[in-house]
Amino acid sequence: MIDDVRLARAYLLRVAEPPAPEVVSLVADLGPVRAAELVRAGKAAIDETAARRHLDFATKDLEQAAIRQARLVIPEDGEWPGWQLLALANAAARDVPGLTEPLGLWVRGEARLDELVDEAVAVVGARAATSYGEQVAAEIAYDLAQRSVTVVSGAAYGIDGSAHRGALRAGGATIAVLACGVDVAYPVGHTDLLVRIIGQGAVVSEYPPGTRPAKHRFLVRNRLIAALAGGTVVVEAGRRSGSRNTAATTSALGRPLMAVPGPVTSAMSVGCHDLLRTAGATAVCSAEHVMADAGRIGVDATTRSDEPARSTDGLDRVMLRVHEELPSRGGLSAERIAVGSGVPLSRVRALLPELELLGLVQKCEAGWCRGTG
Amino acid sequence: MIDDVRLARAYLLRVAEPPAPEVVSLVADLGPVRAAELVRAGKAAIDETAARRHLDFATKDLEQAAIRQARLVIPEDGEWPGWQLLALANAAARDVPGLTEPLGLWVRGEARLDELVDEAVAVVGARAATSYGEQVAAEIAYDLAQRSVTVVSGAAYGIDGSAHRGALRAGGATIAVLACGVDVAYPVGHTDLLVRIIGQGAVVSEYPPGTRPAKHRFLVRNRLIAALAGGTVVVEAGRRSGSRNTAATTSALGRPLMAVPGPVTSAMSVGCHDLLRTAGATAVCSAEHVMADAGRIGVDATTRSDEPARSTDGLDRVMLRVHEELPSRGGLSAERIAVGSGVPLSRVRALLPELELLGLVQKCEAGWCRGTG
């Protein structure tokens, strides 16, 4: 069963170019296996899959991945970072274009993905960084890693590379989210760096093994950097830097956006200062500042789960349906909740952990029951 | 009459070390002439004046000032910047310690003080500035001056000096507010700069001619820099810079506070970044940014005076008393309003221009009447 699901998701990741909103929505409604059948038969999400639906490489992709010490992590897995990625589903539900949840994530690296991103901050910025920016990125990443915070970035030259290196130097964990297959060394000059990242953290991508990077994929990839991290720090950015895109996504997801100030005479700080002036970014000069500003999410979540009384105020319609399906006494399996509520099983499985964090549900012998508050 | 008032204020400025809240309050209640009589007789504000009340140098100070092409500008003068300084009276009324209105201002420079500060921005910062900070201060001041904005600063080495010089280079106006007499060249290395400032703007101080600078006077002086300007830009500041004091006053007065970002590796930018993080300062990189952020005051005032309907909502108790004293038809002199409302004449004279800007009163043949809206 799990293998069918994994095969279905591997197939869909191969034939649907992310963010593929129609396919993602189809999977949410019908589950991955049925969605894959319809796509394969040319009966659904035609626009997004017509060009590739004949590429039934799922088995081959999974085998190929295994050879490269890569695995496909899917929402049905325990290590799926559901809480972090849920923000994308919510954003997509609010009609933010392009911010879909990934159908799965190809991962290289031994650590569990959910544990890696439990406390994580994205440190991103310009490729054409100055030595000032690279120095600051490395120092902030080093200090974050020393505080057991995982540094998420994009493995690019400049700020990204410095951030990964800073975390590695501290012996900490770091995640590189790629716009190509996890087996593709890009940029070539970072081949060794990527190997070290795999050794101390993870290289992650929604693109199947062998996929080459393409300009549009960097923008699509950026939403995963923003979503996997509890907040984003932009260290240096020119006026039209790609980091502006990651910054915008961070704000769209309701996560703290931070920018490092720099000389106003530096073209590489123009983007950061613009984020401070117009995007509500906070100015951060050190890991201490980052912890203070990005810590808000973690702190809020903790505070919330300490509160005795729970409220379903603020839940969206689908979450309410899941919650209301639970009886006032006793529990239900996720499958029973899915049948009863009419919400697709995969969606139920993604939502239950969030409801748990809100204290509205908890695990029990039967599966899930209402939170005791 | 005006001479008596001017002599009384000159006397009080000599015997009461600013901010002298008791003396200021006495003057607000009884007027400067009566207040000076009581102080001279040792019957009021004893603590603030006991050490100097025998120093009856008012005539000598005014004569001495005239020789140095200086004059004493007092609230009873048409060029008194009442609207700007009113913020201090309001702050003092809200019990912000030390933020008193000055009893008068010694001025060197030919332009009218009220016209000079009509559109003005304070550009201040560290004495131990870096070449980066000095360059940015000079450029922002130059560009502000080119846009006919008066640059207000403190004539100190470092950022202050660069700000004055930038404005002068653009052929614009600049005001130096001193912590010593307007005839005292301090710092000595800025002797020529002060002469040039007098030629293109004004040197201003509440300290009588001949007063030497003292450490505490810089802090007291800072409130005048903040009050005379429509907003304050801090260009560089160390962790414990005096500019932090000017910044705090700016915020206490409800004026826009701005800070210039710099390298996070520079000790001279620590204060600016702290203002961005903790004091609600906005990040400004250019005169354009400053105009956008500081412009709010001017823009708001203009918008308000264009509106047809006026409201007394938001007036404080004393302003309401002044406004309500005006009959629905016909006008009254300021003296009649003072007697009728029980609000001291000097206070009435300070408040009427503000009520006028709000469109709630207007000048008429009899003196003042209600605004027609």
Side-chain angles (χ1 to χ4, degrees):
Chain A
M1 165 65 178
I2 279 294
D3 277 354
D4 282 356
V5 171
R6 200 175 308 278
L7 278 167
R9 288 192 178 269
Y11 165 75
L12 291 169
L13 279 167
R14 171 63 70 180
V15 302
E17 176 78 26
E22 276 186 63
V23 172
V24 170
S25 160
L26 195 67
V27 169
D29 289 344
L30 307 175
V33 176
R34 180 76 184 125
E37 283 170 8
L38 289 177
V39 166
R40 199 179 279 114
K43 290 181 179 164
I46 308 293
D47 284 353
E48 288 176 4
T49 58
R52 297 194 198 140
R53 65 182 171 83
H54 60 287
L55 301 177
D56 208 343
F57 293 169
T59 309
K60 185 168 152 274
D61 281 344
L62 287 164
E63 284 169 2
Q64 183 75 13
I67 292 166
R68 307 294 186 101
Q69 281 84 45
R71 65 189 183 278
L72 177 61
V73 177
I74 57 175
E76 289 78 8
D77 290 330
E79 67 168 308
W80 181 254
W83 165 244
Q84 283 78 7
L85 295 174
L86 190 75
L88 288 170
N90 289 339
R94 287 196 313 272
D95 290 329
V96 179
L99 292 192
T100 58
E101 269 188 297
L103 291 164
L105 290 170
W106 297 94
V107 178
R108 285 178 84 179
E110 290 186 4
R112 278 176 63 112
L113 195 54
D114 59 339
E115 288 173 4
L116 275 178
V117 300
D118 187 41
E119 261 204 288
V121 168
V123 178
V124 300
R127 277 170 300 171
T130 68
S131 57
Y132 162 73
E134 295 191 345
Q135 181 194 334
V136 174
E139 279 185 12
I140 288 180
Y142 181 96
D143 292 343
L144 286 172
Q146 280 217 317
R147 291 164 157 88
S148 305
V149 174
T150 299
V151 173
V152 182
S153 195
Y157 290 131
I159 299 301
D160 287 17
S162 298
H164 290 302
R165 280 194 202 93
L168 292 171
R169 203 173 304 134
T174 184
I175 295 177
V177 186
L178 305 187
C180 56
V182 291
D183 57 337
V184 177
Y186 184 91
V188 174
H190 279 176
T191 305
D192 291 347
L193 178 61
L194 288 164
V195 169
R196 290 167 59 212
I197 293 171
I198 291 167
Q200 268 179 244
V203 167
V204 170
S205 174
E206 60 189 326
Y207 299 102
T211 307
R212 311 302 312 172
K215 201 169 179 188
H216 66 93
R217 290 191 180 128
F218 289 96
L219 292 176
V220 172
R221 178 274 315 261
N222 287 345
R223 81 192 197 290
L224 299 182
I225 293 179
L228 288 172
T232 299
V233 181
V234 181
V235 179
E236 278 194 325
R239 195 173 289 281
R240 272 181 290 272
S241 168
S243 338
R244 305 288 293 271
N245 172 257
T246 313
T249 304
T250 300
S251 297
L253 299 181
R255 303 271 168 86
L257 174 63
M258 297 155 273
V260 173
V264 301
T265 46
S266 165
M268 277 301 117
S269 287
V270 167
C272 288
H273 297 149
D274 199 44
L275 293 175
L276 292 176
R277 286 187 59 77
T278 65
T282 57
V284 291
C285 308
S286 63
E288 202 181 342
H289 287 170
V290 173
M291 296 291 282
D293 294 359
R296 285 177 294 177
I297 279 187
V299 168
D300 286 351
T302 311
T303 311
R304 262 187 269 140
S305 62
D306 285 347
E307 285 168 4
R310 309 300 174 192
S311 166
T312 53
D313 299 352
L315 292 190
D316 67 20
R317 202 171 39 80
V318 177
M319 287 176 86
L320 265 180
R321 275 164 62 191
V322 170
H323 183 256
E324 285 172 5
E325 189 58 25
L326 289 169
S328 45
R329 282 165 175 271
L332 287 178
S333 67
E335 288 75 10
R336 289 275 304 275
I337 299 169
V339 172
S341 66
V343 175
L345 179 57
S346 62
R347 197 74 186 277
V348 169
R349 283 191 168 122
L351 291 174
L352 283 168
E354 183 178 19
L355 289 166
E356 186 181 19
L357 274 164
L358 292 170
L360 291 167
V361 306
Q362 57 185 355
K363 284 176 184 145
C364 61
E365 268 183 44
W368 295 88
C369 58
R370 292 202 175 206
T372 52
Chain B
M1 165 66 181
I2 279 294
D3 277 355
D4 281 355
V5 171
R6 198 173 309 276
L7 278 166
R9 288 191 178 270
Y11 165 76
L12 291 169
L13 279 167
R14 171 61 73 179
V15 301
E17 178 78 27
E22 277 187 61
V23 172
V24 169
S25 159
L26 195 69
V27 169
D29 289 343
L30 308 174
V33 175
R34 181 76 185 126
E37 283 171 7
L38 290 176
V39 166
R40 197 179 281 112
K43 291 181 180 164
I46 308 293
D47 285 352
E48 288 175 3
T49 58
R52 297 193 198 143
R53 66 183 169 82
H54 60 286
L55 300 176
D56 208 343
F57 293 170
T59 308
K60 187 169 151 276
D61 281 344
L62 287 164
E63 284 170 5
Q64 185 74 14
I67 290 166
R68 307 291 185 102
Q69 282 84 47
R71 64 189 185 280
L72 177 61
V73 176
I74 56 175
E76 291 78 5
D77 289 332
E79 67 168 306
W80 182 254
W83 166 245
Q84 282 78 7
L85 295 175
L86 189 75
L88 288 171
N90 289 340
R94 286 195 313 272
D95 290 327
V96 180
L99 291 192
T100 58
E101 268 189 298
L103 292 163
L105 289 170
W106 297 95
V107 177
R108 286 178 84 180
E110 290 188 3
R112 280 176 62 114
L113 194 53
D114 59 340
E115 288 173 4
L116 275 178
V117 299
D118 187 41
E119 261 204 290
V121 168
V123 179
V124 300
R127 276 170 300 170
T130 68
S131 58
Y132 163 74
E134 295 191 342
Q135 181 195 333
V136 174
E139 278 185 13
I140 288 181
Y142 181 96
D143 292 341
L144 286 172
Q146 281 214 318
R147 291 165 158 88
S148 304
V149 174
T150 299
V151 173
V152 182
S153 197
Y157 290 131
I159 299 301
D160 288 18
S162 298
H164 289 304
R165 281 194 201 93
L168 291 171
R169 202 173 305 134
T174 184
I175 295 177
V177 186
L178 305 187
C180 57
V182 292
D183 57 338
V184 176
Y186 184 90
V188 175
H190 279 176
T191 306
D192 290 348
L193 177 61
L194 288 165
V195 169
R196 290 167 58 211
I197 292 171
I198 292 167
Q200 268 178 245
V203 167
V204 170
S205 174
E206 57 188 328
Y207 299 101
T211 307
R212 311 302 311 174
K215 201 169 178 188
H216 66 92
R217 288 189 181 129
F218 288 96
L219 292 176
V220 172
R221 177 275 313 261
N222 287 346
R223 79 191 199 289
L224 299 182
I225 292 179
L228 287 172
T232 298
V233 181
V234 180
V235 178
E236 277 192 326
R239 196 172 289 280
R240 274 181 290 272
S241 169
S243 339
R244 305 287 294 269
N245 172 259
T246 313
T249 305
T250 300
S251 297
L253 299 181
R255 303 271 168 86
L257 173 63
M258 296 155 273
V260 174
V264 300
T265 46
S266 165
M268 277 301 118
S269 286
V270 168
C272 288
H273 296 150
D274 199 44
L275 293 175
L276 292 176
R277 286 187 59 77
T278 65
T282 57
V284 292
C285 308
S286 62
E288 203 179 341
H289 287 170
V290 174
M291 296 292 282
D293 294 357
R296 285 176 293 179
I297 281 186
V299 168
D300 287 350
T302 311
T303 312
R304 263 187 269 141
S305 64
D306 285 346
E307 285 168 5
R310 307 300 173 192
S311 164
T312 54
D313 298 353
L315 293 190
D316 67 22
R317 205 171 39 81
V318 177
M319 287 176 86
L320 266 180
R321 275 163 63 191
V322 169
H323 183 255
E324 285 171 6
E325 190 57 26
L326 289 169
S328 45
R329 281 166 175 273
L332 288 177
S333 68
E335 289 77 8
R336 289 276 304 278
I337 298 170
V339 171
S341 65
V343 175
L345 179 57
S346 63
R347 196 74 186 277
V348 170
R349 282 191 168 122
L351 290 175
L352 284 168
E354 184 180 14
L355 290 166
E356 186 181 19
L357 274 167
L358 293 170
L360 291 166
V361 308
Q362 56 185 356
K363 284 177 183 145
C364 61
E365 266 183 44
W368 295 88
C369 59
R370 293 202 173 207
T372 52

